Each structure stands twice: as structure tokens, then as C-alpha cells.
Amino acid sequence: MITVVGGTFAHLHPGHKKLLRAAVDTGNSVVIGLTTDAYLSENKTYYGRSYSLRKRNLTRFMNTMTGDFEILPLGSKDGNTIIRPDYEAIVVSPETVPRAEHINRERIRAGLNPLKIIKIPYVLAEDLFPISSTRIINGEIDTRGRRVTTIRVSISTRNSLKETAVKSYFSTIMKNFEISRYEKYRLETEQPFGDDTIRMATDRAMAGLTDEDYSIGIESGIFYNRVNNSYMDVHYCTLIDRYGRITTGKSSGFEIPENIMGLVKQDKTISTAAEKAYGVSNVGEKDGIVGVISDGKLKRIDLIREAVRNAFIPRFNPEYYSDPE
């Protein structure tokens, strides 16, 4: 039996290679439908590499895995997939799942068995967005997924500590990035409680999003704990990317001392309450109330970094991008 895979393969990047390895791993003979130059000129926004060059590169890569393959010219979206009874499976990326489903409907109408659809997740580039030929051709990433243009990040804050924390975390996962601070946002209150904390972090991120790759909003708020009738300080981070996808993360929480909460209930913020109770000014731009009460064993920057890190966690999984836009 035969497993089929199709595409342009303009630049043979890690996503393509993962797709082709999956086709070989089915144990079937592999047929690769390679879009023709005529098809590209009529249907693609980019065009440059000839059919012969793309076929040569494909052949070279396939020969490293198997000799049981054939490359056929693909002059239409469906090619010969709706008429070949010996085709058993089709390997696709998330964006081409609808095309595979269409092919199966046409095969059933033609009296043929539907193909087994094998969906392969995207491979992520350095910036945690899927690798694609379009991005490579546009000069945004290279063929290995490394970012060529600078990854632009906005953080809505007037607090240099938050900016430092974001830079510190980004440096652990990306190399070519720059952080800009957006300061024209508005806050309903200086001291949010409960779910208002999450909403205000999101409002911050939305305010700072223009044409950046990522926009970040970070807010600390007070949450009531019914277990022992106490209040906890928690940092929330909302992360919005250029495609409008939103992920959130929160830091560990800790109990706020009763003397501080007593002052907060008198319409003070955590920062002003700490200044009055402990004589520490601008505590939010230093080690935070957590640094004061822990005698420096834990600092606010650690909690901010934790919230930012947790907002990124879903984005490390390629399946996060599996649903077509």
C-alpha cells in the first residue's frame, strides 16, 4: 500500500522533514506530490525555486531514509488522491487537515476507501511560532527555525522591575529579542482584588499590542483564602501574541501579614502599606512585600518571572498550534 504526502517544499525545513519521516514510518511506499511551477505561479504568493530544484532536494533527503518512494508532479490541490485505490494513508500538517477531509469525501463518492489521516504537529521556530516556508522566504527565520529579524516584545508597565524580570526570562528561551515598555495604559485601581487582577493584566497586554510579536501584561492582586481566613498576594501574567492567541500564568501565592492587610483595607496599596508598616519606600520596584517579610529569601522578581514562565508553558507544545487559524 501507499502513503501519500503533498506540498511545495520550497525550503526543506524541519517541519517538512518531520512530515516526510512520518510518511516513511508508516511502512508503506511513499508517494510525494510536488507542486508544479505552473501551480505555484497561479496559487502561491511566493515563487522562486523551480520544480527541478525542489525535486532534487527532496530526493536527496528521502534517500537518507528509504528508496521506496516516488515524486510526482502535483498540478492541482487534490492531485490523483481521489482516483488512486492503492493509496492508504495521507500525512498532513494541521493547516492541511481540511484538504485531507475533502479528499476523503470525494473518495467515498467515487466508491474508494477513505485515507487514514495522519496529522503531524508543527515544528516551532526559536520564537515559538510554527516554522513555515513563507516565513523563511520573507526572511523572518532561517531554514533551521532560528529567528533572523528581532523578536519584538512589549510590556505595559512603568515599573522597571517588571521589565527586568521579563528580559531575564526571555533570555533563557530566545536570543534575538528586544523589549519595549508601553506606559500609556490606564488602571481602574492601583490595588486589584480577585479576578480583577487577571482582567487588569489582560487589559495591560491588550493596550500594549500593536505590531509586536508578543505583548505582556503583569498584575499583582490580593485573593481571599477561605481555608484560614487569610489573604494571598499573587502575580498574574497575560501573554498575547501577534496572532491574537492568549495564554496566562500565575505565580506562587503567599499570605499577606495581617498588619499589612489591615492597612490595605484602609484604602492603601500593598506598596504604601509596606512603607507605613516597615518604612520601605517603593517596595513594588524593589524586592516586594515578599522580600520584606521573607528577609530577602524570596524576591518579587522571582514571582514575576514565575508568572511569565507559566504563561509560556502551553506554547512550548506544538499541539498548541494544531487547530488551523
Side-chain angles (χ1 to χ4, degrees):
M1 300 301 286
I2 295 172
T3 295
V4 63
V5 60
T8 299
F9 302 101
H11 293 267
L12 205 55
H13 58 66
H16 290 145
K17 293 176 181 178
K18 188 172 184 178
L19 205 71
L20 294 166
R21 288 191 188 99
V24 172
D25 287 346
T26 63
N28 292 338
S29 298
V30 177
V31 167
I32 304 170
L34 181 62
T35 52
T36 63
D37 293 341
Y39 178 87
L40 281 181
S41 64
E42 295 174 2
N43 295 278
K44 292 288 185 178
T45 56
Y46 59 83
Y47 177 62
R49 295 195 162 188
S50 67
Y51 179 90
S52 60
L53 176 59
R54 290 180 286 122
K55 182 177 181 180
R56 187 160 60 248
N57 290 338
L58 265 178
T59 300
R60 185 181 301 116
F61 177 70
M62 291 298 294
N63 279 331
T64 66
M65 299 184 292
T66 180
D68 191 10
F69 71 94
E70 182 180 10
I71 300 174
L72 300 177
L74 181 62
S76 64
K77 291 183 178 181
D78 297 338
N80 62 9
T81 54
I82 60 176
I83 61 172
R84 287 281 296 263
D86 52 345
Y87 284 178
E88 181 184 46
I90 185 169
V91 180
V92 295
S93 64
E95 65 183 326
T96 52
V97 169
R99 174 54 47 185
E101 293 171 341
H102 163 78
I103 288 170
N104 274 346
R105 289 192 293 270
E106 294 301 313
R107 286 177 65 88
I108 291 170
R109 289 194 185 99
L112 300 178
N113 291 329
L115 302 176
K116 178 182 179 182
I117 299 175
I118 302 171
K119 184 177 74 170
I120 304 303
Y122 291 115
V123 174
L124 302 183
E126 175 193 357
D127 54 15
L128 299 182
F129 299 133
I131 295 175
S132 70
S133 291
T134 300
R135 297 186 66 201
I136 294 170
I137 291 168
N138 289 341
E140 187 174 80
I141 59 174
D142 65 18
T143 54
R144 295 184 180 181
R146 293 174 299 194
R147 184 71 178 237
V148 176
T149 59
T150 302
I151 302 164
R152 290 173 296 111
V153 183
S154 169
I155 175 171
S156 295
T157 188
R158 302 180 189 98
N159 187 329
S160 60
L161 182 68
K162 290 183 179 180
E163 181 181 1
T164 299
V166 169
K167 285 182 178 178
S168 174
Y169 179 70
F170 262 82
S171 68
T172 66
I173 59 173
M174 300 178 190
K175 294 181 179 179
N176 184 16
F177 69 91
E178 64 180 15
I179 309 284
S180 63
R181 194 192 300 186
Y182 180 78
E183 299 184 357
K184 296 181 180 180
Y185 61 91
R186 294 182 179 181
L187 298 178
E188 298 175 13
T189 176
E190 292 294 325
Q191 185 56 71
F193 282 78
D195 289 344
D196 284 344
T197 312
I198 308 169
R199 181 172 55 79
M200 288 175 61
T202 304
D203 289 346
R204 283 176 181 259
M206 290 293 291
L209 183 65
T210 53
D211 59 350
E212 288 81 13
D213 293 288
Y214 293 102
S215 183
I216 295 175
I218 299 167
E219 193 67 72
S220 62
I222 297 172
F223 290 78
Y224 177 64
N225 180 8
R226 289 186 173 82
V227 173
N228 60 353
N229 193 33
S230 65
Y231 292 87
M232 303 188 73
D233 184 287
V234 178
H235 286 73
Y236 268 89
C237 172
T238 295
L239 181 64
I240 306 177
D241 65 30
R242 69 190 194 188
Y243 303 109
R245 294 178 181 262
I246 299 176
T247 51
T248 60
K250 72 181 183 71
S251 71
S252 305
F254 62 94
E255 289 190 13
I256 303 170
E258 290 184 5
N259 62 326
I260 296 295
M261 274 310 304
L263 292 170
V264 171
K265 290 177 180 179
Q266 296 175 28
D267 202 26
K268 294 186 180 297
T269 65
I270 289 284
S271 184
T272 56
E275 182 172 0
K276 184 172 182 178
Y278 304 114
V280 182
S281 61
N282 298 321
V283 68
E285 296 185 13
K286 298 176 181 177
D287 290 346
I289 186 64
V290 67
V292 174
I293 65 178
S294 71
D295 194 25
K297 293 180 176 63
L298 188 65
K299 300 178 181 181
R300 189 184 188 203
I301 194 171
D302 301 320
L303 299 178
I304 297 172
R305 273 176 52 96
E306 183 182 19
V308 176
R309 180 203 67 187
N310 291 346
F312 265 104
I313 287 175
R315 298 173 180 271
F316 294 120
N317 182 1
E319 290 287 355
Y320 177 73
Y321 297 92
S322 285
D323 294 329
E325 290 288 311

